[in-house]
Amino acid sequence: MRWNRPIGLCLGLLSLSLHAGPRATPSPEEGPRGTQALGKTVPLLPAFRSAVARIVAADGRTLAAAVWVGPDGYLLTKASEIPELEKARVQWSGDRTAALREIRRLPALDLVLAQAVGVKEVAYTDFSQGLPLPSYGQWLASPTLGGSEIRIGVISAQPRAIPGLGPAMGIRMDEKPIKQGVRLLSIAEDSPAAAAGMEPGDILTRVAQQPAKDVKTVHEIIRRHQPGDLVTLSYLRDGESKTARVRLASRTRIMMNWDGEDFANGGISIRTDDFPSIIQHDLPLGVQDMGSPLYDLEGRAIGINIARVDRVTTFALPATVFWSKIQPLIEADRHPTQALLPP
Amino acid sequence: MSLRSFALRVATLMGTVVALACHAAAHDTLAVLRGVQQRVQTLLPQVRSAVVAIRIQDGTASGVIINRSGLILTAAHVAEKPGKELRVVLHDGQVVRGTTLGLDKATDAALVQLLDTERTWPHVNFSRAVVSVSPGDWCFALGHPGGFDKERGVVLRVGKVIRHTANSLQTDCVLMGGDSGGPLFNLKGEVIGIHSQIWEERDHNMHVSMAPFLRSWDEMKNNLVIHVWGTGSGGYLGAAIDMNSAGKIEVLRVLEGSPAQTAGLLAGDLVEMLETQPLRSASQFSNAVRARPAGEEIQLRVRRGEVVRDVRVKLTSRPKEDEG
């Protein structure tokens, strides 16, 4: 595969840094597509708002959005943004929070089903009325920022499947074999490897507890994982042994963004590909809004926002691909099979 | 995976502060939104076949066919220079050949001609009523961000005009690399802009308006490159105007030897209409003047006290010492 150089955006990056002076920027409310665009005339807003929750890390960062799918605290969120779900909490209706219990990960859909511990009564979204599949140009709305704002946009492309190229961490490796392991030649900007502090010249010795014998072996180990998985690296820097944990991302995400071209977007999801079916839309959402529900203007739940891909692209999973799988999981969790007692 | 994008230029805006003339937040009702949706969904099948992807060397960009013999509007930073061969991807994936004509580097406007002029190409109309575009107007952008992708199709964005200057439009239709040269439409399905530049915020998307195209049409058709605003810089009236407290466009000062003086305008006159267009803001008036070529005669409806009369003024080009 050949990746063409995005000439202008690199130049653009330079001019951006030169011109990053103070700028008058409208608040979201002033912009024509902010909350005020919908105004109070939309009777569905209160329902939209209470449907969404935030998944919050121990340090207070919002990791993703979530949508309530059962009155007794069942929720869905984006799996790859939350590898350690039970260390996080769910926050909703302003300041209410609860601990989380992980029920099932669905790697094919990048969803995780969880339950807010001790929550008895929440307004939840029923995705069973999400048919028919919406079409090009149709308005959609999503609650964002924990429900404090509603944003609108349109279906902007044809629904389709997004093939996956597997996970990556954003490293280029030296093919030349050396005794200790594999030498890193370069690190992609804003990549999992960069976030973990890896540098060119580091020598990988182990990846996920397995010896990093050569380039091929490293690729094979990585390929056995999913984007979003945490992987431990052991490496040598200036002869000293070190370890780091990296969270793998989609290979497409890293290749499209090798030199940090994402500057005019505001973040890309860890996993952006390998979905059986998606709706593409232009809602102004961020990475932390993934996991939030998506409605049409009639108030029908159409799907779940699943990947922020680039400045113009967000993918949502249509309700038809996940709802029939989620219902039985919730039922089974509510009524665990009783082991039959011997007579 | 398709070609990685030919990039949009990132705005190198004059000065460091961009004063956004943000219109008052409109409260769009569901009925308005449904009306917009219906218009866009009606127009999309009609206009999308005229939107093309353009491949040059390693990059990819967009363009729009505006007549049956295959003339394409695109951005100057896509075309780069006249006489350049390029490949054009039609909506169905068919690849045809084209060549760049002239371009206006000062405003980022350019023309491309498809080589086969005998064929009837799918095309759209563009708006000649440049000044009728106002902040708050609904619009939609089409293009091939990141390059042509048949499975995905052309990418639609619906938004509003945020700002209108002499040569450009700013909208909240988000753009990225690969969109460069693609069309911005009004809700009549006419092209009103060509995607040109982005800034970091999501509502900082700049499009070349139709003004530079209309002004420099013949030059661009004849393979000329416009680097600075010479004769192409637009009409000049030579009167300082502003909106007064009563909301009228008032002449504040008339410059010595200017077309405004020749036409007999005086400080204190109120300008009510330009041709048949009622004037609602000072910027609308000055943009309308600058969008016209030097040499064009315009008619102004002027009120002086109780007397209203129509005045004809022949615009000139801006004097050299009057920069900015």
Side-chain angles (χ1 to χ4, degrees):
Chain A
M1 187 184 316
R2 186 161 160 260
W3 296 89
N4 288 280
R5 300 286 304 146
I7 316 149
L9 277 182
C10 295
L11 296 172
L13 202 60
L14 289 173
S15 58
L16 191 82
S17 57
L18 286 174
H19 288 264
R23 294 189 300 275
T25 303
S27 72
E29 283 68 29
E30 289 172 312
R33 292 261 296 280
T35 324
Q36 301 307 314
L38 272 173
K40 293 189 173 99
T41 50
V42 180
L44 313 157
L45 287 192
F48 283 6
R49 288 189 166 165
S50 56
V52 72
R54 297 176 200 244
I55 305 297
V56 182
D59 63 7
R61 278 177 309 129
T62 298
L63 300 172
V67 54
W68 298 110
V69 291
D72 38 356
Y74 288 96
L75 57 83
L76 283 173
T77 183
K78 180 166 164 73
S80 57
E81 298 292 340
I82 315 164
E84 297 167 306
L85 182 112
E86 295 194 350
K87 288 188 185 169
R89 290 177 75 79
V90 58
Q91 184 182 336
W92 76 102
S93 292
D95 56 357
R96 295 185 65 188
T97 71
L100 286 165
R101 180 173 68 88
E102 182 168 322
I103 296 164
R104 180 75 72 86
R105 280 182 187 257
L106 302 159
L109 299 173
D110 197 15
L111 288 175
V112 54
L113 177 68
Q115 189 179 29
V117 177
V119 172
K120 297 278 178 273
E121 200 67 37
V122 284
Y124 68 101
T125 296
D126 179 356
F127 285 90
S128 63
Q129 28 164 5
L131 291 166
L133 207 60
S135 60
Y136 240 126
Q138 181 182 317
W139 287 111
L140 298 173
S142 269
T144 179
L145 307 171
S148 62
E149 217 178 88
I150 305 286
R151 299 223 174 121
I152 60 169
V154 296
I155 308 251
S156 56
Q158 292 165 20
R160 61 197 187 279
I162 303 296
L165 294 177
M169 59 175 133
I171 53 171
R172 284 208 175 105
M173 295 173 281
D174 193 344
E175 296 280 346
K176 220 168 31 198
I178 51 173
K179 200 171 73 214
Q180 304 97 315
V182 176
R183 188 191 305 274
L184 303 187
L185 291 178
S186 63
I187 313 290
E189 262 187 50
D190 185 35
S191 66
M198 303 303 291
E199 292 176 4
D202 290 347
I203 295 163
L204 277 183
T205 54
R206 299 178 84 80
V207 176
Q209 283 79 46
Q210 295 156 72
K213 280 200 300 240
D214 50 31
V215 173
K216 188 161 153 274
T217 309
V218 173
H219 279 310
E220 275 166 9
I221 299 167
I222 296 298
R223 208 173 298 134
R224 285 199 287 272
H225 288 84
Q226 290 283 337
D229 285 357
L230 286 166
V231 168
T232 303
L233 306 178
S234 306
Y235 62 100
L236 296 171
R237 178 177 296 167
D238 305 325
E240 198 182 327
S241 282
K242 292 174 174 274
T243 62
R245 286 223 299 173
V246 296
R247 190 151 58 111
L248 302 177
S250 286
R251 179 169 292 273
T252 19
R253 174 217 198 268
I254 288 172
M255 297 309 289
M256 297 293 275
N257 193 43
W258 192 273
D259 289 318
E261 293 94 334
D262 180 43
F263 67 96
N265 174 42
I268 299 178
S269 295
I270 282 283
R271 174 164 159 193
T272 56
D273 62 12
D274 201 12
F275 300 113
S277 171
I278 59 95
I279 299 167
Q280 180 174 335
H281 64 71
D282 73 345
L283 268 73
L285 301 178
V287 168
Q288 292 159 1
D289 292 316
M290 297 305 100
S292 64
L294 187 64
Y295 303 93
D296 66 11
L297 292 188
E298 273 66 48
R300 288 177 299 213
I302 296 291
I304 289 182
N305 294 306
I306 201 67
R308 181 76 196 155
V309 180
D310 56 42
R311 182 171 160 103
V312 307
T313 313
T314 300
F315 293 154
L317 287 175
T320 45
V321 307
F322 64 83
W323 194 238
S324 61
K325 295 184 173 71
I326 296 303
Q327 290 298 83
L329 293 177
I330 295 176
E331 277 313 302
D333 188 69
R334 279 184 187 136
H335 310 289
T337 315
Q338 300 286 313
L340 290 176
L341 295 170
Chain B
M1 188 57 56
S2 60
L3 288 170
R4 183 61 170 93
S5 57
F6 188 93
L8 264 138
R9 300 195 305 177
V10 168
T12 49
L13 294 163
M14 280 171 273
T16 48
V17 180
V18 188
L20 277 182
C22 238
H23 65 279
H27 286 237
D28 297 309
T29 61
L30 274 179
V32 168
L33 294 172
R34 288 202 181 98
V36 170
Q37 176 178 317
Q38 206 214 342
R39 281 305 296 156
V40 172
Q41 290 186 327
T42 305
L43 291 167
L44 193 62
Q46 299 165 25
V47 302
R48 61 185 289 191
S49 56
V51 181
V52 298
I54 294 176
R55 287 181 181 162
I56 306 177
Q57 290 146 9
D58 272 359
T60 154
S62 300
V64 61
I65 311 176
I66 50 98
N67 70 21
R68 58 189 303 164
S69 55
L71 188 63
I72 292 175
L73 305 186
T74 188
H77 76 276
V78 173
E80 287 187 326
K81 61 182 185 202
K84 211 160 122 177
E85 288 243 346
L86 40 81
R87 302 206 175 261
V88 174
V89 190
L90 304 179
H91 70 107
D92 57 1
Q94 192 191 153
V95 181
V96 295
R97 293 170 64 200
T99 182
T100 58
L101 302 179
L103 47 142
D104 179 351
K105 290 201 165 183
T107 61
D108 205 22
L111 297 180
V112 165
Q113 177 64 54
L114 292 173
L115 296 191
D116 184 354
T117 53
E118 298 305 307
R119 179 170 163 181
T120 302
W121 297 98
H123 62 277
V124 291
N125 296 322
F126 65 93
S127 170
R128 286 160 200 276
V130 176
V131 293
S132 69
V133 181
S134 304
D137 286 357
W138 287 97
C139 55
F140 64 99
L142 295 178
H144 294 286
F148 184 83
D149 178 343
K150 195 169 180 184
E151 292 288 303
R152 177 192 65 185
V154 71
V155 177
L156 167 73
R157 280 126 301 168
V158 176
K160 285 182 175 179
V161 175
I162 293 170
R163 193 162 168 252
H164 186 189
T165 67
N167 296 307
S168 70
L169 295 170
Q170 180 185 345
T171 73
D172 64 348
C173 296
V174 279
L175 306 175
M176 62 172 255
D179 270 320
S180 289
L184 182 74
F185 289 94
N186 61 20
L187 291 195
K188 291 187 215 156
E190 301 166 328
V191 178
I192 55 168
I194 292 296
H195 312 326
S196 170
Q197 308 186 37
I198 54 171
W199 191 255
E200 200 169 359
E201 273 82 25
R202 281 186 184 153
D203 53 3
H204 287 182
N205 307 285
M206 309 297 179
H207 319 257
V208 189
S209 77
M210 288 300 105
F213 285 99
L214 291 167
R215 208 166 52 218
S216 312
W217 192 257
D218 293 337
E219 287 90 341
M220 286 202 275
K221 286 269 285 188
N222 289 316
N223 296 343
L224 291 179
V225 181
I226 297 157
H227 291 284
V228 288
W229 291 9
T231 49
S233 69
Y236 169 74
L237 184 63
I241 52 136
D242 202 359
M243 185 174 272
N244 66 18
S245 54
K248 306 284 185 196
I249 308 299
E250 184 176 331
V251 176
L252 302 177
R253 193 159 66 95
V254 175
L255 296 179
E256 199 67 35
S258 68
Q261 191 189 40
T262 311
L265 289 187
L266 294 175
D269 288 351
L270 303 178
V271 186
E272 295 183 338
M273 293 217 297
L274 191 160
E275 301 294 346
T276 57
Q277 187 90 36
L279 297 172
R280 294 182 305 272
S281 73
S283 62
Q284 181 204 7
F285 180 42
S286 49
N287 288 344
V289 170
R290 290 171 70 189
R292 288 172 158 75
E296 188 169 314
E297 197 170 79
I298 57 169
Q299 181 169 298
L300 301 176
R301 177 157 294 174
V302 178
R303 176 183 290 274
R304 186 175 299 161
E306 294 301 305
V307 184
V308 177
R309 62 193 180 104
D310 287 331
V311 180
R312 297 198 70 77
V313 189
K314 191 173 180 182
L315 302 176
T316 63
S317 47
R318 181 174 290 264
K320 289 237 175 332
E321 63 276 15
D322 186 38
E323 290 301 325

